[in-house]
Amino acid sequence: MQDFRYIDNIVTLQLDGKSCIGCGNCVTVCPHRIFGLTERKAEITDRDACMECGACAKNCPVGAISVNPGVGCAAEIMAQWVNKLAGRKIIDGCC
Amino acid sequence: MTSNYKLSFDSLRFQLADIDAWLLVADTRGVNVWCAAGKGTFSTEEIIYSVQQSRLQQLVNHRTLILPQLGATGVAAYKLTKGCGFKAKFGPIRSNDLPRFLRNKQRTDETMRSVTFNLRERAVLIPVEIYLLMKPMAIATLAVLLLSGIGPSIFSATAAWSRGAYFIGASLIGVGCGAFLVPLILPWLPGRQFWIKGLLPGLAGSLICWGLFVSTGEVTPLEGLSLLLWITAFSSYLAMNFTGSTPFTSPSGVEHEMRRGMVFQATAVAVSLLLWLASPFIG
């Protein structure tokens, strides 16, 4: 995946090192391998490769990870904008 | 554990042909694991429900579930033991790694855990993009034919056909750029934002269009400029739409680039249509 880099300094991913218990679940589930484990603490090694899928936050037993999860899909975001403007669901997004 | 998306299920069965194992299929209404996990149908609750519904406890002696890694977006594995008595572990992303994973004492390596987006994976998405485009393209074609007929004689059906055909030709070039070329040469296109990645193929397509229609004197340079703007904006838009098919774009990033890309695309299309409408009057 190193062939593909998306926009830098934009993702909402945050890791609270203090509450981390070092279980390594985030390291396991991340499809872009952006977490590492050193001295029983998780750390983000490549934050800009995050696609905000939310797998790490979902599988963190102590809630040390926060991210605003969603799909990085223009059609989906367009649908959200239209539906928000209309105040009700007019169009479906993708997948 | 898998979803009931037919293609996933079939490839899973195919990969496990020589392996003695149970498959538990969650009802995700025909949606694949990753999308279903994102939309909440492949969820912790759904897995617990499927285990209980199928009475898995009575079928097997062991108490381990192997989940597809991409399901992690919707499933909190650590909650499953308490919820259904089965300890869950995440297996590889791709089903074709499963035999190796099972032989390897159910251990994964980094390649099994990383998503990829190689040429083949990008190429198979092209028909989907084209299929989704057909309906909006049909509507737009009608609108273009109507607009192309407007001229000094108020409305001319002949002009609608003859001029409209060039615009439709340009649109097809735009599709070739944005929906064929962009996915294929994605890693080598300049720019991080997809609307920018669509510009260069769009300009290349515009040059082809110029060579076909303007150099031969079939349309005026003013109309040629209109088609150039249209192809470039359309290619940029289609490239931006391709974000949804890639496995590496974040929603924050897509929203960020849409706020910029759509301003360019809307402006270019507006100017393009204005030129197209004005050119029969200017001559």
Side-chain angles (χ1 to χ4, degrees):
Chain A
M1 276 319 275
Q2 288 306 314
D3 293 346
F4 300 100
R5 302 296 302 184
Y6 200 42
I7 308 165
D8 288 338
N9 301 316
I10 194 111
V11 293
T12 52
L13 179 71
Q14 297 292 343
L15 167 68
D16 174 21
K18 275 195 223 81
S19 38
C20 174
I21 52 165
C23 70
N25 283 355
C26 53
V27 184
T28 303
V29 296
C30 177
H32 288 285
R33 322 307 298 147
I34 73 161
F35 290 97
L37 210 56
T38 36
E39 291 167 18
R40 304 193 59 83
K41 288 278 180 194
E43 57 178 6
I44 300 170
T45 53
D46 189 2
R47 192 162 178 273
D48 290 328
C50 170
M51 62 174 289
E52 297 177 318
C53 71
C56 52
K58 186 94 193 172
N59 281 278
C60 178
V62 290
I65 301 172
S66 77
V67 61
N68 197 0
V71 282
C73 168
E76 175 70 26
I77 289 167
M78 192 104 70
Q80 284 170 11
W81 284 352
V82 171
N83 294 338
K84 200 173 165 187
L85 268 176
R88 66 196 168 89
K89 194 169 185 176
I90 310 180
I91 49 173
D92 285 322
C94 53
C95 66
Chain B
M1 191 82 226
T2 188
S3 72
N4 63 357
Y5 176 51
K6 191 174 182 306
L7 290 177
S8 316
F9 184 65
D10 284 346
S11 89
L12 196 56
R13 275 195 301 184
F14 177 75
Q15 294 298 341
L16 298 178
D18 300 326
I19 292 164
D20 185 14
W22 286 92
L23 276 183
L24 183 58
V25 183
D27 181 10
T28 57
R29 295 170 201 174
V31 175
N32 70 63
V33 168
W34 210 4
C35 282
K39 300 270 170 179
T41 45
F42 194 84
S43 62
T44 316
E45 294 74 25
E46 180 63 32
I47 307 289
I48 293 170
Y49 176 80
S50 300
V51 168
Q52 288 166 348
Q53 185 77 3
S54 62
R55 299 193 195 151
L56 196 62
Q57 300 245 9
Q58 294 161 33
L59 281 173
V60 296
N61 295 324
H62 68 80
R63 289 291 175 263
T64 311
L65 283 177
I66 298 170
L67 303 176
Q69 187 192 324
L70 293 184
T73 299
V75 181
Y78 69 93
K79 288 184 183 162
L80 287 178
T81 318
K82 206 174 152 198
C84 65
F86 278 79
K87 191 176 173 315
K89 70 159 79 168
F90 286 106
I93 289 180
R94 286 165 296 268
S95 61
N96 59 4
D97 282 330
L98 262 175
R100 196 154 56 93
F101 167 79
L102 293 172
R103 271 199 312 273
N104 197 19
K105 292 176 185 157
Q106 302 193 0
R107 273 195 297 259
T108 54
D109 56 39
E110 283 298 294
T111 55
M112 289 183 197
R113 292 229 174 275
S114 316
V115 287
T116 53
F117 202 39
N118 58 37
L119 184 64
R120 216 184 116 201
E121 289 167 312
R122 298 196 299 276
V124 296
L125 295 167
I126 294 174
V128 185
E129 299 286 311
I130 302 292
Y131 176 75
L132 292 174
L133 262 175
M134 289 201 310
K135 199 177 148 194
M137 280 282 279
I139 298 167
T141 302
L142 273 178
V144 160
L145 288 176
L146 284 176
L147 288 177
S148 300
I150 301 170
S153 60
I154 303 177
F155 189 84
S156 146
T158 335
W161 283 117
S162 60
R163 296 185 68 226
Y166 294 115
F167 208 98
I168 293 162
S171 305
L172 291 177
I173 293 176
V175 173
C177 300
F180 272 92
L181 209 54
V182 167
L184 291 179
I185 60 172
L186 192 70
W188 304 284
L189 284 171
R192 294 277 179 97
Q193 304 184 25
F194 278 58
W195 74 272
I196 295 174
K197 283 181 181 287
L199 294 179
L200 207 61
L203 280 172
S206 300
L207 287 180
I208 293 173
C209 175
W210 194 274
L212 286 174
F213 301 155
V214 185
S215 304
T216 52
E218 295 193 44
V219 302
T220 64
L222 201 63
E223 287 173 318
L225 187 65
S226 162
L227 296 181
L228 181 146
L229 284 168
W230 166 241
I231 293 173
T232 310
F234 194 30
S235 173
S236 165
Y237 175 80
L238 291 175
M240 194 180 82
N241 244 353
F242 191 62
T243 51
S245 300
T246 71
F248 67 97
T249 53
S250 62
S252 298
V254 175
E255 190 163 349
H256 171 88
E257 75 158 279
M258 280 171 79
R259 289 180 192 282
R260 284 151 187 79
M262 286 177 77
V263 173
F264 163 77
Q265 289 149 11
T267 314
V269 169
V271 176
S272 165
L273 286 179
L274 219 69
L275 289 175
W276 193 252
L277 280 171
S279 63
F281 297 95
I282 299 165

